[in-house]
Amino acid sequence: MTHSVGAPSTALAMANPWAVVPSLGNLDAYISAVNRLPMLSLQEEQEFARKLKDHNDLEAAGKLVLSHLRLVVAVSRKYLGYGLPHGDLIQEGNIGLMKAVKRFDPDQGVRLVSYALHWIKAEIHEYILKNWRMVKVATTKAQRKLFFNLRSMKQGFKDDADAATHRDTLTDAQIEVMARELNVKREEVIEMEARMAGGDVMLDPSPADEGDEAFGPIAYLSDANHEPTAMIESRERDAMASDGIAAALGELDARSRRIVEERWLKVNDDGSGGMTLHELAAEYGVSAERIRQIEAAAMKKMRKALAAYA
């Protein structure tokens, strides 16, 4: 529900402090509204932070968040060069702000604005890394630092009046400078630049590809081993093969259990199985046909037990 951005009444602000902020769907109205929200004094910030910490006062938490929404807008503007929607960047930054408010300790001797800055940036960074490319371009801490500094450092090289060239690609000297300042290898700088300069690849087949021959990278990028349904089925099979079999064997008498174990579960060091029907028949002094009948009855009883176990 979107409300007007005028000065809110005290009753409305007390009942629902978020009602004074328009939806992010109207980005201009949202930014205009949060920039007009009053900032808290140190005394007010400390008061609300203690109410949240000591009494889990959600109204106090809301006031801390609302008074710092303009900070999120300011930080998010620095990441518009990655081609992601400004509203999404603000949304992720707001999540970081709320995490900061939840963890903020008023006794640490710092203002919330300084504490929240780290959390806001961290949440935006994570969002960019997950969404800027379908395949992550940075995994280690050093690579992340390189990812977020490569653009600005390249721009600095271009703006340098003493630069010998204004090419888009980095020179060997520039690569050396960047690697030294960011504490990474030359090869990592080269690889990251290539990743960021590379074009996006469609994961699904092209619309022009029709019929059974249509094929796209999604066909070989998917990992069926970690698909949720497959993982559940795998765990069920593992449980059935261990606990389920043990429970079913427990339903058999000693002779039936030994026959099943020798015929189906025993594996010798040379890869051969257990005893044959004739060997078991000789041991128990009955015919091989009788051993087969006992085995069949035992297997039927086990299947019933396994069905109940599942």
Side-chain angles (χ1 to χ4, degrees), residues 98-119:
M98 287 186 280
K99 288 182 178 180
V101 168
K102 182 178 179 180
R103 293 167 172 81
F104 182 60
D105 185 350
D107 297 321
Q108 288 181 333
V110 297
R111 291 297 299 266
L112 177 57
V113 62
S114 301
Y115 182 77
L117 199 58
H118 161 78
W119 290 94

Side-chain angles (χ1 to χ4, degrees), residues 23-45:
S23 165
L24 269 169
N26 188 342
L27 192 58
D28 291 337
Y30 175 88
I31 294 175
S32 176
V34 300
N35 283 335
R36 290 205 297 269
L37 290 171
M39 300 182 68
L40 300 178
S41 66
L42 174 60
Q43 182 179 356
E44 290 173 326
E45 181 180 294

Side-chain angles (χ1 to χ4, degrees), residues 13 22 54 85 99-100 114 131 139 168 215 272 290 293 307:
D54 298 338
K99 288 182 178 180
S114 301
N131 294 275
T139 53
D168 287 335
F215 185 80
S272 62
R290 178 57 183 153
Q293 292 172 355

Side-chain angles (χ1 to χ4, degrees), residues 133-243:
R133 285 286 188 267
M134 288 302 296
V135 179
K136 289 184 181 180
V137 295
T139 53
T140 67
K141 184 177 181 180
Q143 287 175 332
R144 289 178 179 227
K145 184 177 181 181
L146 173 59
F147 177 85
F148 286 106
N149 284 277
L150 184 60
R151 284 173 178 266
S152 58
M153 292 188 73
K154 283 184 68 175
Q155 187 60 45
F157 290 141
K158 288 182 180 180
D159 295 339
D160 188 350
D162 297 328
T165 179
H166 293 281
R167 298 178 303 170
D168 287 335
T169 56
L170 295 170
T171 66
D172 288 340
Q174 291 169 345
I175 291 173
E176 289 288 350
V177 171
M178 190 174 293
R180 183 172 61 254
E181 291 188 7
L182 298 178
N183 194 28
V184 295
K185 298 177 181 178
R186 291 183 76 260
E187 292 76 12
E188 291 182 273
V189 176
I190 296 170
E191 180 184 2
M192 185 63 70
E193 184 189 21
R195 288 184 182 184
M196 296 179 69
D200 291 326
V201 177
M202 290 185 64
L203 293 180
D204 293 313
S206 168
D209 298 331
E210 297 180 355
D212 296 335
E213 299 300 321
F215 185 80
I218 193 67
Y220 55 82
L221 286 177
S222 60
D223 183 3
N225 292 330
H226 292 85
E227 194 272 325
T229 303
M231 292 176 68
I232 293 172
E233 291 176 350
S234 177
R235 284 196 295 268
E236 289 178 348
R237 285 195 300 270
D238 291 342
M240 187 68 73
S242 55
D243 300 340

Side-chain angles (χ1 to χ4, degrees), residues 259-279:
I259 290 173
V260 169
E261 289 176 339
E262 287 289 343
R263 295 281 293 147
W264 295 95
L265 302 178
K266 187 174 181 180
V267 179
N268 297 320
D269 294 337
D270 59 1
S272 62
M275 301 172 68
T276 65
L277 289 175
H278 291 283
E279 289 171 337

